[in-house]
Amino acid sequence: MTTTTDTAYAPATEALATVLAPTARPPRPSAWSACMTFGWRAMLKIKHVPEQLFDVTAFPIMMTLMFTYLFGGALAGSPTEYLQFLLPGIMVTSVVMITMYTGVEVNKDIEKGVFDRFRTLPIWRPSTMVGYLLGDVLRYFMASTVILLIGLLLGFRPQGGITGVLGGIALLLVFSFAFSWLWTMFGLLMRNEKSVMGVSMLVMMPLTFLSNVYVDPPPCRAGSRSSSTPARSRTWSARCGR
């Protein structure tokens, strides 16, 4: 009967000296590189969970089609005519409503303990938050592009041309980036993601449906007087409560 004995591996003294020798520490990452790294992390989460793109693809298309064909004939006489007024507003509404998911994702990472690991890293502290928002800017751009394309297919014709369209989308992205900080604050303060979603909807729903995105009140009187057909006149009079 033979027995084998396990012997522990003992590294050579030269190898240990090479590993433990004092060397220059790697440079601390800059604030910009840290923000871009966390932004890329947000993009990788979309890669592994592509269902997250539903809110920037399916939701904007649904909102545009629903309001155009559900209210277009009643409010403006035809869906195409109503689309000229609706599409810029529905673009702003859809993109701004998407911003609430930033706070939800932040709250998820806090619950999972990921932020405890981030606090131990030698990085610029706000880079985790800025990275989230930079990653979401791409989602906002995708939603704006989807709404613009579906609008062009339905007959929307922007009066400002290409320059006006690009300027409007850029302004919307800047506003959405700034607005996302509000939901980031809620994500840090609330206990769970359901609370963040509930508070976000409580704020967004009144701001959205009390605005003049869907119906513009001032032109109603002029429209009721200048309509050439009785049906159109009755429609505008109904809008004005006359």
Side-chain angles (χ1 to χ4, degrees), residues 91-92 95 137 140-141 144-145 148 162-178:
M91 179 184 294
V92 174
V95 175
V137 168
Y140 306 153
F141 178 75
S144 303
T145 304
L148 179 62
I162 298 178
T163 304
V165 170
L166 295 179
I169 292 178
L171 180 61
L172 177 59
L173 295 181
V174 173
F175 175 77
S176 301
F177 177 82

Side-chain angles (χ1 to χ4, degrees), residues 45 49 116 127 172 188:
K45 292 175 68 174
V49 188
D116 295 334
S127 61
L172 177 59
L188 294 172

Side-chain angles (χ1 to χ4, degrees), residues 52-220:
Q52 296 183 15
L53 291 179
F54 285 164
D55 59 342
V56 299
T57 54
F59 178 74
I61 294 176
M62 179 188 67
M63 292 286 288
T64 305
L65 294 177
M66 181 177 66
F67 281 97
T68 299
Y69 290 100
L70 186 62
F71 301 115
L75 296 178
S78 67
T80 303
E81 184 177 351
Y82 181 56
L83 185 65
Q84 311 307 316
F85 170 81
L86 172 71
L87 191 126
I90 204 68
M91 179 184 294
V92 174
T93 301
S94 301
V95 175
V96 171
M97 290 189 71
I98 293 172
T99 59
M100 68 178 67
Y101 293 102
T102 302
V104 174
E105 292 299 322
V106 170
N107 190 271
K108 284 182 180 179
D109 281 347
I110 293 177
E111 287 187 345
K112 294 178 181 178
V114 178
F115 263 68
D116 295 334
R117 170 57 178 161
F118 291 161
R119 291 192 184 99
T120 64
L121 299 177
I123 57 176
W124 185 50
R125 289 300 179 88
S127 61
T128 54
M129 299 291 99
V130 178
Y132 273 115
L133 302 180
L134 289 178
D136 284 341
V137 168
L138 179 59
R139 299 172 65 246
Y140 306 153
F141 178 75
M142 293 175 61
S144 303
T145 304
V146 168
I147 294 175
L148 179 62
L149 292 178
I150 192 67
L152 292 175
L153 290 176
L154 295 177
F156 174 72
R157 296 297 179 262
Q159 298 180 358
I162 298 178
T163 304
V165 170
L166 295 179
I169 292 178
L171 180 61
L172 177 59
L173 295 181
V174 173
F175 175 77
S176 301
F177 177 82
F179 201 68
S180 298
W181 285 99
L182 177 63
W183 313 128
T184 302
M185 179 191 69
F186 284 125
L188 294 172
L189 297 178
M190 296 296 174
R191 295 184 178 180
N192 52 58
E193 58 183 286
K194 293 182 179 179
S195 301
V196 178
M197 184 66 70
V199 173
S200 302
M201 294 300 295
L202 184 64
V203 175
M204 287 300 304
M205 293 298 287
L207 292 178
T208 300
F209 289 99
L210 291 179
S211 67
N212 62 344
V213 169
Y214 306 108
V215 178
D216 189 15
C220 63

Side-chain angles (χ1 to χ4, degrees), residues 1-63:
M1 182 176 179
T2 59
T3 59
T4 58
T5 58
D6 296 334
T7 58
Y9 171 73
T13 305
E14 294 78 5
L16 284 176
T18 302
V19 174
L20 300 178
T23 57
R25 299 181 61 181
R28 184 173 180 173
S30 63
W32 175 252
S33 62
C35 293
M36 294 303 296
T37 300
F38 283 105
W40 179 245
R41 173 179 176 267
M43 293 295 97
L44 290 179
K45 292 175 68 174
I46 297 177
K47 174 184 176 181
H48 295 293
V49 188
E51 293 83 3
Q52 296 183 15
L53 291 179
F54 285 164
D55 59 342
V56 299
T57 54
F59 178 74
I61 294 176
M62 179 188 67
M63 292 286 288

